Amino acid sequence: RQTQGATCTACGIYSTCTSCLENTEDCAWDVKKKACVDETFFGFGQVDDKEDCPCTLCKAWYDNEVSEPGWRDWIDRLPQCPCNVDVVETTRTYEYESEEFTGLGTPVIATVTTTKLQGPPGWSQDWNCNPQQECEPYHPGAYGCIRASDGLFFSLSGQQCCYSGDRN
């Protein structure tokens, strides 16, 4: 027998949480390792009931959602993504004159340029994924995203559209 928490021969042959827990008594599913392992005494990060397997929980949530009448209605109300968007650059100049603020006795002038994607009316820049910052990890390779800014606020759901560097 190997050390507790390590994949043992009997446990290691199962590659899914459900198969691990249906076919063994001394094994547990290690959520972090995504492996069937010898059950440890404390069991931190381990599942020992197949009803608690991540896929089982996900499927139970999905089955509950689709059992509700009209469960897909909000999806059908989402607006279509615009085929392309514009890139808009805005430059602003700020002048700071206060000696107390600048400590220099002369005005400080700062110019700031921001870049954003602009879709048609009813769409706004997604400030979590825009040309000013990376869109990782949720939208790898995206130059920026826009969101539908009207419509489904009551449900916190909405359409999000992401674009590559050529804005298509």
Side-chain angles (χ1 to χ4, degrees), residues 40-51:
T40 64
F41 177 71
F42 293 109
F44 292 118
Q46 293 185 354
V47 175
D48 60 4
D49 182 345
K50 71 177 183 175
E51 297 303 314

Side-chain angles (χ1 to χ4, degrees), residues 145-157:
C145 299
I146 60 173
R147 289 185 173 271
S149 54
D150 57 348
L152 304 173
F153 287 120
F154 66 89
S155 68
L156 299 177
S157 302

Side-chain angles (χ1 to χ4, degrees), residues 111-127:
T111 303
V112 178
T113 301
T114 58
T115 305
K116 72 174 194 168
L117 296 184
Q118 183 174 328
W123 293 86
S124 60
Q125 173 72 55
D126 179 348
W127 292 108

Side-chain angles (χ1 to χ4, degrees), residues 67-106:
S67 69
E68 296 291 323
W71 74 277
R72 246 186 95 89
D73 290 351
W74 71 271
I75 295 172
D76 296 332
R77 291 193 311 264
L78 292 174
Q80 293 291 320
C81 288
C83 293
N84 50 42
V85 292
D86 295 322
V87 174
V88 177
E89 283 192 0
T90 305
T91 302
R92 291 200 172 117
T93 302
Y94 301 94
E95 186 172 334
Y96 302 98
E97 294 184 23
S98 168
E99 183 175 329
E100 184 179 312
F101 179 76
T102 64
L104 302 174
T106 58

